[in-house]
Amino acid sequence: MSDRYASFVQTGAGRALVKRLGLPDPPRLRRHTPGDPLVPGPVLLGSSAGGRLAEPVGKILTAAGVTLPDPAASPDAGARFAALVYDATGISDSTELRQLYDFFHPHARALLPSGRVIVLGSPPAECDSPREATAQRALEGLTRSIGKEFGRGVTAQLVYVTPDGDAGTPVSLESTLRFLISGRSAYVSGQVIRVGTGTATAPADWDRPLDGQIVLVTGAARGIGAALARVLARDGARVVALDVPAVGDALAAVVNEIGGSAVQLDLTAPDAPTRLAEHLAGRHGRVDVVVHNAGITRDKTLGRMDADRWDSVIDVNLSSQERINDVLLERDLIPAGGRIVSVSSIAGIAGNRGQTNYATSKAGVIGLVDSLAPVLHERGISLNAVAPGFIETRLTARMPLMLREAGRRMNSMAQGGLPVDVAETIGWLAWPATGAASGNLVRVCGQSLLGA
Amino acid sequence: MSDRYASFVQTGAGRALVKRLGLPDPPRLRRHTPGDPLVPGPVLLGSSAGGRLAEPVGKILTAAGVTLPDPAASPDAGARFAALVYDATGISDSTELRQLYDFFHPHARALLPSGRVIVLGSPPAECDSPREATAQRALEGLTRSIGKEFGRGVTAQLVYVTPDGDAGTPVSLESTLRFLISGRSAYVSGQVIRVGTGTATAPADWDRPLDGQIVLVTGAARGIGAALARVLARDGARVVALDVPAVGDALAAVVNEIGGSAVQLDLTAPDAPTRLAEHLAGRHGRVDVVVHNAGITRDKTLGRMDADRWDSVIDVNLSSQERINDVLLERDLIPAGGRIVSVSSIAGIAGNRGQTNYATSKAGVIGLVDSLAPVLHERGISLNAVAPGFIETRLTARMPLMLREAGRRMNSMAQGGLPVDVAETIGWLAWPATGAASGNLVRVCGQSLLGA
């Protein structure tokens, strides 16, 4: 699980050698610790002419204690920023895209390590004209290129904010801004995130955004699932940790550490959904957040794959998510304001050699989110997916060396992510404050080159 | 422009060496030559229970002279197929995905070199239930994985066919099937193509699918543009080839070769759209097909990029397309049944280091197609985009060796594409028979690993 190359590079001698030989230079990423300030420096906030979001964003950041220098002041050559935030909602024609250049060009080298670039736009499908939709869609090319270009742990995202003018927007926008600008999103880059309308509630304490929430995590005994249980508990959740009986000891260790409760259950058993529903109803009366994290791989090329490998992967990774959702929703155990987060994979986006079964199941998870999110929206429940890229776990530790090194380096961070990076991202999507982000697929991949 | 490694590998000695050392093994791809049979062998056509497309597809293929063995017959261990075509429209739940395994597993190694895998489904957004939408979306994971796994020049695509039941569907489906199953789509793999409703007209001769069409090609003097002019003329079009005066000699050579007409015009001049419109109106009275191929790169990282590099790339690659469309449409020069095809790029999908300007312009092209296609649909005009990957041209020939080799090999074909591959794809989208495919973004990239 350890990336010894990255550790070496982060020493003084390692850094000098790497520079001389032109080797990949994985930076040490800024990650979240409770009590940290939101950002380690000032934030430069700019706006296109007529942008509608710079003002509310300025208020949100100022109230969060962030220093905002005047963007109109003549640029101080030595100034360094923790983030560049740009409101591009005023751009309604491709001829106005020049404003992006005018803002970013002078500050392209002014970001601190692990700095943030956040571009705010309007969803193209909700624009008034094809010209405006075209210009807003063009923003994606800019942010993805910046993510690949800036280096040093800098991330770049595009956030499309639905223009609804209702009073609820600032809360939803705040939760997404806080996630993206903080160390919680260390390994999330090159993403397009949609913030729409929906129930959102600001927390009493942004360091405990899940305070009092009942959260179910499947596959919680090890790896990403165990990191999830820890992060969600740290953020105030009461965690119900589920896994198969075979890993009961590991599950008990996680639960004892975080003060949660354990459920030993094989999700592929026919009565699993009803047994789970009865457990949640009897013990808590509800479940506020469901995280479908349980998943398996059974890799083989299709010609050599036996039917059991196909069936078990589809059943655990996809069909069981559908069965559990259906029973929990039928019994009204997920209240309005509830959250469901499903774990997909880059293999579900791009396909993968030797993983026809896994990629089919994980592409299905994307379909599940796309198709069920609008239905759940009417019940005040959000549904989102995350797609991890190369994450350092016992599974990736077992990969052949060259394949593992390629996976680790072929992304904008030049390193693999940690289970905690996936956990922080799922946590953000689970917050009551993040009601307005639904139907998203967010990759946690350090902007891996792989895609479709 | 020549891939000497691929040429070497395709010799007997080269092949033996490559196998021994485990090096990339780029196959010789089957490409289209007029008069060729549609496929070089029998096609296995299978269907999920209740599939609605196997019957019309069987009729189309039989009428085209294709041999279709009975899929229910016991598999002959030695049988080899030119294509595996599967109607998955009957799959309405993830538990029914097993049918995919049952069809493909026994035949995974039965494809001829440059064979074809085509999976037909229903667009998830038009499915009756989230369960069905989920299962249909899962098909994407299968086809993309097959594309990465099967090798030897085999391509794999997913075609979503709108269930409209109208009599027009078979023509549209036929044109897309013919393109995908033939050598015309040699370098197109891992794509998801949507065939909807729209005006479609079958040609008198499928070897001259553009017979009598007036086709404008911008940037036609060299590279992909010149290949486009040749392919479209070969398929029966009367080509109006446009480029800047500086390459007038090269443009004249192309036009003389194919018997088209030349227009020397700088598209960024303020009066260019009206001058072009007047030329087309005066000479032909209309333009049936517009191919926006003209494009430039001016690469620099954002911090080192001067404003002129930003402005010129946005203007040539994006804004000029918008201005020309607007004038041609205002003056009603593109009749019902007309086609517009815009050239985007993988950089517009995934972003690229040193190409903030180019990626922004090419992402904008995707936005243009997304937003304008529904508007044009009402006028009976289709609008689609293609995104070339690594194509062997004078531009890629100038790339540094290692970058060039990575671009050539990091795709399912283990080689770069040729300009003719992009041209054939644009040609298919321009056919009167392909009316029902609109709003698509089709990559011509050999299923490059790069994406978003």
Side-chain angles (χ1 to χ4, degrees):
Chain A
M1 273 171 80
S2 79
D3 182 348
R4 287 190 208 162
Y5 175 80
S7 307
F8 171 67
V9 166
Q10 286 158 8
T11 64
R15 184 159 300 275
L17 192 67
V18 153
K19 289 232 159 141
R20 198 157 325 145
L21 299 179
L23 296 173
D25 184 7
R28 191 186 302 273
L29 303 182
R30 170 169 67 98
R31 289 191 167 88
H32 173 72
T33 308
D36 277 356
L38 191 57
V39 278
V43 171
L44 191 68
L45 172 61
S47 182
S48 52
R52 63 186 161 84
L53 294 172
E55 194 193 324
V57 166
K59 283 185 187 160
I60 288 168
L61 293 176
T62 305
V66 174
T67 305
L68 296 176
D70 179 2
S74 61
D76 169 358
R80 289 291 174 271
F81 301 104
L84 303 174
V85 179
Y86 189 72
D87 173 9
T89 57
I91 296 176
S92 59
D93 192 284
S94 66
T95 54
E96 297 166 11
L97 291 166
R98 168 66 182 273
Q99 294 176 77
L100 296 166
Y101 172 86
D102 291 338
F103 178 74
F104 285 106
H105 166 68
H107 304 293
R109 280 167 285 187
L111 277 168
L112 293 165
S114 287
R116 300 287 185 257
V117 170
I118 301 173
V119 176
L120 304 164
S122 297
E126 295 166 38
C127 287
D128 289 333
S129 68
R131 285 281 182 116
E132 184 182 3
T134 298
Q136 289 293 317
R137 180 65 177 74
L139 301 173
E140 197 176 318
L142 178 81
T143 50
R144 291 193 194 272
S145 297
I146 285 178
K148 292 189 173 179
E149 189 170 299
F150 278 19
R152 298 181 305 127
V154 171
T155 69
Q157 333 281 353
L158 172 59
V159 183
Y160 282 131
V161 184
T162 293
D164 65 348
D166 95 339
T169 298
V171 171
S172 315
L173 187 54
E174 176 162 9
S175 86
T176 296
L177 265 178
R178 279 180 172 269
F179 170 70
L180 293 176
I181 212 165
S182 76
R184 293 181 191 261
S185 59
Y187 202 63
V188 176
S189 189
Q191 298 306 293
V192 179
I193 292 161
R194 286 170 174 77
V195 175
T197 54
T199 321
T201 315
D205 176 359
W206 280 101
D207 251 356
R208 288 181 63 83
L210 285 167
D211 208 23
Q213 299 283 296
I214 313 293
V215 178
L216 170 69
V217 178
T218 69
R222 292 178 303 190
I224 291 171
L228 254 168
R230 288 188 194 100
V231 163
L232 303 179
R234 179 204 70 193
D235 284 353
R238 295 162 63 189
V239 175
V240 181
L242 182 150
D243 217 316
V244 290
V247 292
D249 289 351
L251 186 68
V254 170
V255 161
N256 289 338
E257 182 191 331
I258 64 168
S261 65
V263 180
Q264 292 190 15
L265 197 60
D266 176 356
L267 292 176
T268 62
D271 63 346
T274 54
R275 284 179 55 199
L276 176 59
E278 281 159 15
H279 174 88
L280 292 166
R283 190 79 168 261
H284 304 283
R286 69 177 204 280
V287 57
D288 299 301
V289 179
V290 176
V291 183
H292 292 291
N293 167 71
I296 59 172
T297 56
R298 295 286 181 272
D299 298 356
K300 279 280 175 195
T301 56
L302 189 51
R304 295 172 193 275
M305 187 183 290
D306 58 62
D308 186 57
R309 283 174 191 263
W310 177 273
D311 289 342
S312 58
V313 167
I314 300 287
D315 194 46
V316 173
N317 297 2
L318 178 57
S319 305
S320 83
Q321 288 195 18
E322 296 181 292
R323 290 194 300 264
I324 291 167
N325 287 342
D326 283 358
V327 171
L328 296 180
L329 291 165
E330 272 162 30
R331 300 191 178 196
D332 246 335
L333 284 167
I334 307 176
R339 308 276 175 258
I340 306 177
V341 186
S342 285
V343 177
S344 180
S345 162
I346 287 191
I349 296 170
N352 199 12
R353 185 171 191 285
Q355 294 198 312
T356 47
N357 49 358
Y358 185 74
T360 301
S361 73
K362 294 299 192 180
V365 168
I366 298 171
L368 189 163
V369 169
D370 285 345
S371 59
L372 200 56
V375 177
L376 295 183
H377 185 75
E378 296 177 13
R379 295 175 64 159
I381 299 168
S382 80
L383 171 58
N384 293 283
V386 299
F390 187 97
I391 305 295
E392 304 279 354
T393 64
R394 76 200 145 77
L395 295 176
T396 51
R398 272 195 236 128
M399 289 168 71
L401 175 71
M402 289 308 291
L403 210 58
R404 189 171 68 230
E405 273 305 297
R408 274 178 175 157
R409 307 301 164 215
M410 281 171 56
N411 59 68
S412 294
M413 304 298 143
Q415 60 195 288
L418 301 180
V420 70
D421 297 321
V422 182
E424 297 277 17
T425 306
I426 290 173
W428 154 63
L429 292 168
W431 297 349
T434 314
S438 189
N440 281 285
L441 169 65
V442 181
R443 292 170 51 147
V444 186
C445 65
Q447 197 178 26
S448 165
L449 293 182
L450 304 183
Chain B
M1 269 167 93
S2 81
D3 182 346
R4 288 190 207 162
Y5 175 80
S7 306
F8 170 67
V9 167
Q10 285 157 9
T11 64
R15 184 159 300 275
L17 190 69
V18 153
K19 289 231 158 142
R20 197 156 326 145
L21 299 178
L23 296 173
D25 185 6
R28 191 186 302 273
L29 303 181
R30 170 170 66 100
R31 289 192 167 89
H32 173 71
T33 307
D36 276 357
L38 192 56
V39 279
V43 171
L44 192 67
L45 172 63
S47 182
S48 53
R52 63 186 161 84
L53 294 173
E55 194 193 324
V57 166
K59 282 184 189 161
I60 288 168
L61 293 176
T62 305
V66 174
T67 305
L68 296 175
D70 178 2
S74 62
D76 169 359
R80 289 290 175 273
F81 302 104
L84 303 174
V85 180
Y86 188 72
D87 173 10
T89 57
I91 296 176
S92 60
D93 192 284
S94 66
T95 54
E96 298 166 10
L97 291 166
R98 169 65 182 276
Q99 295 175 78
L100 296 166
Y101 172 86
D102 291 338
F103 177 74
F104 285 106
H105 165 69
H107 304 295
R109 280 168 284 185
L111 275 168
L112 294 166
S114 288
R116 299 287 185 258
V117 171
I118 300 173
V119 176
L120 305 164
S122 297
E126 295 165 37
C127 287
D128 289 333
S129 68
R131 284 283 182 113
E132 184 182 3
T134 298
Q136 289 294 317
R137 180 63 177 74
L139 302 175
E140 197 176 320
L142 178 82
T143 49
R144 291 192 194 272
S145 297
I146 285 177
K148 292 189 172 180
E149 188 170 298
F150 278 19
R152 298 182 305 125
V154 171
T155 69
Q157 335 281 352
L158 172 58
V159 183
Y160 283 131
V161 184
T162 294
D164 65 347
D166 95 337
T169 300
V171 171
S172 316
L173 188 54
E174 176 163 10
S175 86
T176 296
L177 266 178
R178 279 180 173 268
F179 170 70
L180 293 176
I181 214 166
S182 75
R184 292 182 190 262
S185 60
Y187 202 63
V188 176
S189 188
Q191 298 306 293
V192 179
I193 292 160
R194 286 170 174 77
V195 176
T197 53
T199 322
T201 313
D205 174 0
W206 281 101
D207 252 355
R208 289 181 63 84
L210 285 167
D211 208 22
Q213 300 282 296
I214 312 292
V215 179
L216 170 69
V217 178
T218 69
R222 293 179 302 190
I224 291 171
L228 254 168
R230 289 188 193 98
V231 163
L232 303 179
R234 178 204 70 195
D235 284 354
R238 294 161 63 189
V239 175
V240 180
L242 182 149
D243 216 316
V244 291
V247 293
D249 289 350
L251 186 68
V254 170
V255 161
N256 289 338
E257 181 190 332
I258 64 170
S261 64
V263 180
Q264 292 190 16
L265 198 60
D266 176 356
L267 291 176
T268 63
D271 64 347
T274 54
R275 283 180 57 198
L276 176 59
E278 280 158 16
H279 174 87
L280 291 166
R283 190 80 167 259
H284 304 284
R286 69 180 205 278
V287 57
D288 300 300
V289 178
V290 176
V291 183
H292 292 292
N293 167 70
I296 59 171
T297 56
R298 295 286 182 272
D299 298 356
K300 279 283 175 192
T301 56
L302 190 49
R304 294 173 194 276
M305 186 183 291
D306 58 60
D308 185 58
R309 282 174 190 263
W310 177 273
D311 290 340
S312 58
V313 167
I314 300 288
D315 193 47
V316 173
N317 296 3
L318 178 56
S319 305
S320 83
Q321 288 196 18
E322 295 181 293
R323 289 195 299 266
I324 291 167
N325 287 341
D326 284 358
V327 171
L328 296 181
L329 291 166
E330 271 163 29
R331 301 192 177 196
D332 245 336
L333 284 168
I334 308 177
R339 309 277 176 257
I340 305 177
V341 186
S342 286
V343 176
S344 179
S345 162
I346 287 191
I349 296 169
N352 198 13
R353 186 171 191 286
Q355 295 198 312
T356 47
N357 50 357
Y358 185 74
T360 301
S361 73
K362 293 299 192 180
V365 167
I366 297 170
L368 189 164
V369 169
D370 285 346
S371 59
L372 200 57
V375 177
L376 295 184
H377 185 75
E378 297 177 13
R379 295 175 65 159
I381 298 168
S382 79
L383 171 58
N384 293 282
V386 298
F390 186 97
I391 304 296
E392 305 279 354
T393 64
R394 75 201 145 79
L395 296 176
T396 52
R398 272 194 236 130
M399 289 169 70
L401 175 72
M402 290 307 291
L403 209 59
R404 188 171 69 230
E405 272 306 297
R408 274 178 176 155
R409 306 303 161 215
M410 282 172 57
N411 59 70
S412 295
M413 305 297 142
Q415 61 195 288
L418 302 181
V420 70
D421 297 321
V422 181
E424 297 277 16
T425 306
I426 290 174
W428 154 63
L429 291 168
W431 297 348
T434 314
S438 191
N440 281 286
L441 170 65
V442 181
R443 292 169 50 147
V444 186
C445 65
Q447 196 177 27
S448 165
L449 294 181
L450 304 182

